Amino acid sequence: MQEIVNNVAAIRARMAEAAREAGRDPAEITLCAASKMNDAQRVRAAVEAGVDCCGENRVQELVEKLPQGAYGQKPVHFIGHLQTNKVNKVVGHVDLIQSVDRLELLAAIEKQAAKLGLVQKILFEVNIGAEASKSGFTPAGAMDAASHMAEYPHCHLEGLMAIPPISEEPGGNSKYFAQMHQLLVDIRAKKYDNVSMACLSMGMTDDFPDAIRAGSTMIRVGTAIFGARHYGTNT
Ligand SMILES: *Cc1c(COP(=O)(O)O)cnc(C)c1O
């Protein structure tokens, strides 16, 4: 667990360095622990090491770790693909749903939030690399959906999230990060009702300094905090 403490400290130092290089205040950028495949005890260690929030990909893991107190007092975000038939396990249970990737899901979240009488904070996920393997709005689709947010009064659009293509060379994703930042600025400038656009969630283990230099306000880091994930085992 000491390793997790050291890893978080090292990431914080790199975040601060990237922020300074971009002339930004490091306090503007939050660190979200992408905690998939890590058990409650390890997630709790990251929380105690000072991450700002935790992000879960899978409904099943969220449902298991919440009652185990994995997240302490920190906000929990949902960051994975969400099926409409599982929104009831997520809406109202997390502070932010980062992965709203289609209108059908937005409508399902609205319906559940209305039923519970609350406002669910959300981000739109944008498929910025136009990859067939990934879900997400196109940039034009995100703009259009943002323009209709007044029709979803039980949701509040706080910004955008993206997972760019796996880059072949260092810095390879900088163009996608720049496009995402521009899209955030463009949507914000429209001043649509029920849209604030303060959050730009982008940057992971391999590319978060580039994302910060491009204007990210939240990085989602898994491997650099917890170590490599071992797919095929259950730990
Ligand atoms: C796993 C995951 C991350 C973190 O990935 P790493 O490369 O391990 O830092 C970030 N965002 C999402 C949506 C993820 O699923």
Side-chain angles (χ1 to χ4, degrees), residues 87-94 108-120 154:
V87 292
N88 62 332
K89 298 202 167 89
V90 177
V91 172
H93 297 280
V94 300
I109 293 169
E110 168 65 26
K111 196 171 159 199
Q112 179 66 12
K115 190 170 149 191
L116 298 177
L118 52 83
V119 174
Q120 178 67 59
H154 299 89

Side-chain angles (χ1 to χ4, degrees), residues 32-229:
C32 179
S35 33
K36 57 177 173 276
M37 301 179 70
N38 285 281
D39 63 19
Q41 203 189 351
R42 291 174 63 76
V43 176
R44 186 63 190 234
V47 162
E48 277 157 20
V51 301
D52 297 299
C53 56
C54 296
E56 288 292 352
N57 281 72
R58 294 173 193 161
V59 173
Q60 186 58 38
E61 288 193 46
L62 174 73
V63 165
E64 276 173 26
K65 288 179 231 178
L66 262 177
Q68 293 171 341
Y71 314 111
Q73 302 300 312
K74 299 286 179 177
V76 192
H77 297 177
F78 195 77
I79 62 174
H81 185 70
L82 181 54
Q83 292 169 265
T84 51
N85 64 356
K86 292 192 179 153
V87 292
N88 62 332
K89 298 202 167 89
V90 177
V91 172
H93 297 280
V94 300
D95 293 89
L96 180 68
I97 303 176
Q98 297 200 15
S99 45
V100 178
D101 55 2
R102 60 202 192 279
L103 287 173
E104 183 201 21
L105 177 60
L106 177 60
I109 293 169
E110 168 65 26
K111 196 171 159 199
Q112 179 66 12
K115 190 170 149 191
L116 298 177
L118 52 83
V119 174
Q120 178 67 59
K121 294 189 243 175
I122 61 166
L123 305 180
F124 284 163
E125 180 173 353
V126 178
N127 185 0
I128 195 64
E131 294 172 279
S133 61
K134 282 191 187 131
S135 55
F137 289 99
T138 62
M143 175 66 85
D144 188 59
S147 76
H148 286 99
M149 278 307 296
E151 296 162 31
Y152 303 89
H154 299 89
C155 295
H156 182 69
L157 180 61
E158 309 241 309
L160 303 175
M161 183 270 253
I163 310 168
I166 293 170
S167 173
E168 274 146 39
E169 78 271 25
N173 282 333
S174 293
K175 67 170 187 284
Y176 296 117
F177 292 143
Q179 287 168 17
M180 285 300 302
H181 184 250
Q182 190 59 49
L183 181 62
L184 186 91
V185 168
D186 289 347
I187 295 177
R188 192 195 286 145
K190 302 278 188 186
K191 299 193 186 320
Y192 292 129
D193 280 355
N194 199 18
V195 175
S196 58
M197 286 289 145
C199 181
L200 184 54
S201 172
M202 60 184 192
M204 316 201 301
T205 290
D206 288 335
D207 56 16
F208 71 81
D210 292 330
I212 289 170
R213 284 188 283 266
S216 172
T217 70
M218 184 186 296
I219 62 170
R220 307 176 312 272
V221 178
T223 308
I225 294 176
F226 298 108
R229 290 178 290 273

Side-chain angles (χ1 to χ4, degrees), residues 1-24:
M1 297 295 167
Q2 184 57 39
E3 202 183 324
I4 290 175
V5 173
N6 297 344
N7 289 347
V8 169
I11 294 163
R12 288 282 185 202
R14 292 179 65 203
M15 289 171 73
E17 190 190 338
R20 272 195 304 273
E21 281 166 20
R24 303 180 60 199

